[in-house]
Amino acid sequence: MNLQRIRTVIAKEWAEVFKNKLVLFTVGFLPLVFTALPLGILYATRGDPEQMASEMSDLPAQFMALCGDISASECMQVFILNQFLLLFMMMPLIIPISIAAYSIVGEKTTHSLEPLLATPISTVELLTAKSLAAAIPAVLATWLGFAIFVVGAPLVSTGPSVLRYILGPMWLLAVFGLGPLMAIMAVNFAIMVSSRVTDPRVAEQMAAVIIVPLLAIMFAQIGGLLVLNLTFMLIAAVVLLVADAALIVVGARLFQRETILTKWK
Amino acid sequence: MIHAEQLSKTFGDGPNAITAVDRLSLDVAEGEVFGFLGPNGAGKTTTVRMLTTLIGPSGGRATVNGLTLGRDDAAIRQSVGVLTETPGLYDRLSAERNLTIYARLYDVADVPGQVRKYLQMLGLWERRQDEAGSFSKGMRQKLALARALLHEPRVLFLDEPTSALDPEAAKLVRDFIEELRGAGRTIFMCTHNLDEADRLCDRIGIFKTRLIMVDSPANIRQQLYGRRVVVHLAQAAEGLAAEARALPFVKEVQAVDNKLVVTLDDPEANDPALVRRLVEAGAAIQFVGELRHSLEDVYLRLIEAQG
Ligand SMILES: Nc1ncnc2c1ncn2[C@@H]1O[C@H](COP(=O)(O)OP(=O)(O)OP(=O)(O)O)[C@@H](O)[C@H]1O
Ligand SMILES: [Mg+2]
């Protein structure tokens, strides 16, 4: 692995892909919305504890158990936040898809992959560089959004346990552990999809099916079928780790000089 | 510098298999400019891609710059420069940035120095800050050429360097290739432009899936047609054709109006005797010259013979 070559390609990817307004929009705007939304909802549900207590009875039973001895209104907010944790997990899935789709399809349409492949760079270095170029901005944007959320949440929430909950092991594992794992998965998936199509928007749309499982989890939680907790996150982390390893193996096989030149049309 | 032995490439398998290159054996010497001529779909690009390690051969062996294909691939890529069929620039980045990226990928020691050198050499220095996407075709081709040279490769592969350029831009690129040749680089050049091959190349290979013939342009012409001398007369040529035909070294004579076209092997040795014989027979000779077959004639005849 030659780090200078990897750095060079990453810098090139960023210089090029961030000139694209659509990509810039996804990377910049999405985290903003996904961070502002939960803060806004927290603010709106700050309401008086009495009323909250009455609404508590609507919460799924499993969730009540999770709340333990925190106040009813805090528990309500924690429940709402659990939905929004999924937004933070969605960012590292959506952002890299957009970057990778434009990067790969763009190189295909301008035929710039061939001279690139004619340099001494190895295909592993190239794949690594392309993956990192898409994953790093996604992870950083997610973390930045989370940081803003952590700073903003105490200002708009009902009590201190809300912040304690956000900074608890489940959230931290989700944002700092699962986030990067999901970004890697999204990138590899997007590269595979992009290698088969000639329009970056089509690639984005096709690769977007990757968020379906996340949506399923979201609706399952709203419907009271499951509750996000630490155990769930740990299992998810292991599943993602295995899925990532598999995708990287398949991706590296697809990412051969000859395959790229002759089969990526 | 380039040595290929029975190099082959077949795409796909079973009944749909396409053999693009069939047992190509070839040697290109150091410092030589070699022209690779063939019609569309002949397998020229496929050959270049194999020799530059972009695709693997289905059979045969090759070495480039003493390095073995399939074993020293990264080293081969480091030691050759490639101008691909389409320039493939990063359109949103400046010309300078385009070159800087490649200089780094090739591990060039003095990146800004080399980038500057080639931007200046190709007359792009003033436009270095402009996006490559805003360049004309000729400028794009020159930028791609500069990109292939940044790491001072010993061997240069050029895939149709002047096709798609207008005559003026093509001439600029051609002049530049001439300059490179002076600098002692080995150049392997695919082209459709026979005139260009004739002028630039030391040897040419005529290729259509298989290598049909390799030699210097002059030798190929002679091998196929012999050489021809045209004699312009002050009178009708008809009556003198028999005189010329009677000479032992003359292969063929055609009389057209007041011109005699005589085919023979060695004009330098035979022309004096030919002229003497014609003058003795009463010919009033105005000019004597050599009639050259264009490489195009040769090429078309060879390709046609291939079917
Ligand atoms: N990836 C591929 N898959 C299948 N067939 C291919 C592939 N690449 C090239 N071929 C076939 O191999 C043959 C040679 O193609 P190649 O591009 O090498 O020709 P060429 O001499 O460069 O032609 P041109 O002058 O048009 O550039 C053609 O019949 C082409 O269809
Ligand atoms: Mg070609």
Side-chain angles (χ1 to χ4, degrees):
Chain A
M1 286 284 233
N2 178 317
L3 290 182
Q4 145 145 338
R5 287 204 278 262
I6 293 176
R7 269 203 308 269
T8 304
V9 174
I10 292 177
K12 173 238 127 191
E13 294 284 318
W14 288 348
E16 213 185 21
V17 98
F18 288 132
K19 288 208 171 167
N20 188 306
K21 295 207 180 61
L22 273 171
V23 175
L24 213 54
F25 179 80
T26 315
V27 180
F29 195 68
L30 202 67
L32 250 141
V33 173
F34 279 15
T35 307
L37 207 61
L39 284 176
I41 302 268
L42 273 187
Y43 183 78
T45 56
R46 219 166 25 147
D48 74 288
E50 305 291 290
Q51 192 199 333
M52 281 285 173
S54 72
E55 281 174 11
M56 273 287 279
S57 51
D58 296 340
L59 291 182
Q62 295 157 282
F63 204 84
M64 304 272 279
L66 198 75
C67 277
D69 53 1
I70 63 175
S71 81
S73 67
E74 282 173 328
C75 190
M76 186 69 194
Q77 287 208 318
V78 164
F79 173 72
I80 293 166
L81 281 180
N82 250 15
Q83 308 301 331
F84 287 105
L85 173 56
L86 290 164
L87 283 187
F88 281 99
M89 295 171 70
M90 218 172 270
M91 279 191 256
L93 272 186
I94 296 174
I95 296 171
I97 286 179
S98 170
I99 299 176
Y102 276 90
S103 150
I104 296 281
V105 177
E107 296 243 38
K108 281 201 301 182
T109 49
T110 57
H111 301 282
S112 52
L113 272 172
E114 186 165 358
L116 187 58
L117 290 168
T119 69
I121 199 170
S122 72
T123 46
V124 174
E125 285 162 1
L126 188 56
L127 181 62
T128 307
K130 288 240 172 228
S131 303
L132 288 177
I136 290 172
V139 170
L140 287 184
T142 306
W143 289 354
L144 186 71
F146 182 68
I148 295 171
F149 183 58
V150 167
V151 172
L155 307 176
V156 292
S157 57
T158 29
S161 48
V162 170
L163 183 63
R164 220 180 314 130
Y165 183 73
I166 300 171
L167 290 175
M170 178 180 91
W171 272 71
L172 294 182
L173 176 66
V175 173
F176 293 97
L178 265 67
L181 287 175
M182 292 182 121
I184 292 170
M185 177 156 91
V187 166
N188 279 281
F189 191 64
I191 290 176
M192 278 180 219
V193 172
S194 304
S195 74
R196 306 275 145 176
V197 301
T198 49
D199 183 336
R201 281 161 300 184
V202 175
E204 267 187 305
Q205 282 156 14
M206 284 174 66
V209 303
I210 206 169
I211 66 168
V212 168
L214 211 59
L215 290 177
I217 293 170
M218 193 175 217
F219 289 121
Q221 185 173 238
I222 292 172
L225 295 175
L226 66 85
V227 170
L228 287 186
N229 55 24
L230 189 59
T231 320
F232 181 90
M233 287 297 167
L234 283 171
I235 294 171
V238 172
V239 171
L240 273 176
L241 215 57
V242 173
D244 278 353
L247 273 173
I248 287 171
V249 169
V250 176
R253 199 162 297 163
L254 275 180
F255 217 75
Q256 300 289 317
R257 256 164 245 277
E258 178 157 356
T259 316
I260 295 169
L261 273 180
T262 59
K263 303 235 164 67
W264 290 20
K265 296 261 164 62
Chain B
M1 258 336 213
I2 302 172
H3 170 78
E5 249 173 77
Q6 307 269 309
L7 200 62
S8 303
K9 181 70 188 181
T10 304
F11 290 107
D13 43 19
N16 297 325
I18 300 171
T19 298
V21 177
D22 187 14
R23 287 162 293 166
L24 169 67
S25 295
L26 183 72
D27 272 287
V28 178
E30 180 157 15
E32 186 175 17
V33 180
F34 186 84
F36 206 46
L37 258 59
N40 289 126
K44 303 182 295 295
T45 299
T46 304
T47 303
V48 168
R49 284 177 168 178
M50 280 195 283
L51 291 172
T52 54
T53 80
L54 290 177
I55 59 179
S58 337
R61 273 187 299 273
T63 63
V64 177
N65 211 356
L67 301 158
T68 305
L69 214 67
R71 202 189 61 197
D72 315 314
D73 284 2
I76 290 179
R77 288 199 299 276
Q78 178 69 50
S79 75
V80 305
V82 192
L83 177 72
T84 46
E85 212 163 4
T86 39
L89 304 166
Y90 296 119
D91 285 347
R92 289 162 176 268
L93 305 183
S94 72
E96 189 172 26
R97 186 79 189 256
N98 264 283
L99 295 191
T100 303
I101 291 165
Y102 274 80
R104 295 219 178 97
L105 291 176
Y106 280 109
D107 233 338
V108 165
D110 175 16
V111 172
Q114 283 298 94
V115 169
R116 188 192 174 107
K117 173 180 164 187
Y118 281 103
L119 280 174
Q120 286 178 336
M121 200 182 273
L122 285 156
L124 295 171
W125 180 247
E126 305 298 323
R127 301 280 309 266
R128 67 187 179 281
Q129 305 289 3
D130 296 358
E131 282 189 3
S134 72
F135 281 12
S136 71
K137 264 187 185 168
M139 291 164 76
R140 293 168 67 77
Q141 190 71 337
K142 286 201 284 181
L143 190 57
L145 202 50
R147 187 180 60 192
L149 289 163
L150 289 166
H151 57 299
E152 305 291 349
R154 313 265 297 120
V155 184
L156 199 55
F157 289 90
L158 308 175
D159 198 348
E160 300 185 20
T162 59
S163 67
L165 300 186
D166 66 30
E168 198 187 340
K171 184 177 176 338
L172 279 174
V173 169
R174 220 173 281 136
D175 289 348
F176 185 71
I177 295 171
E178 196 114 57
E179 234 173 275
L180 291 176
R181 163 202 214 171
R185 284 203 171 88
T186 307
I187 300 177
F188 185 98
M189 183 168 89
C190 302
T191 181
H192 287 302
N193 188 322
L194 301 162
D195 223 30
E196 172 175 293
D198 209 352
R199 255 184 303 157
L200 288 176
C201 301
D202 300 307
R203 281 191 312 151
I204 56 175
I206 296 180
F207 179 78
K208 188 179 173 186
T209 311
R210 266 172 288 124
L211 193 58
I212 301 167
M213 189 173 262
V214 196
D215 214 325
S216 69
N219 282 350
I220 289 187
R221 271 194 289 264
Q222 177 168 3
Q223 221 165 303
L224 278 182
Y225 291 100
R227 288 169 73 183
R228 291 182 304 176
V229 173
V230 59
V231 183
H232 290 250
L233 303 159
Q235 70 258 56
E238 198 54 56
L240 292 160
E243 292 293 331
R245 225 169 255 132
L247 290 165
F249 50 78
V250 168
K251 291 183 157 165
E252 196 189 324
V253 180
Q254 277 173 282
V256 188
D257 302 332
N258 59 340
K259 288 190 284 286
L260 271 183
V261 179
V262 182
T263 305
L264 39 69
D265 276 334
D266 191 357
E268 286 80 3
N270 303 146
D271 275 7
L274 172 66
V275 171
R276 199 178 311 121
R277 175 73 178 249
L278 291 175
V279 170
E280 280 166 7
I285 296 177
Q286 291 171 321
F287 321 100
V288 180
E290 182 167 11
L291 193 68
R292 281 160 59 99
H293 276 284
S294 71
L295 193 56
E296 193 168 342
D297 297 338
V298 177
Y299 174 84
L300 291 175
R301 182 160 152 187
L302 280 174
I303 295 299
E304 232 156 64
Q306 284 296 302

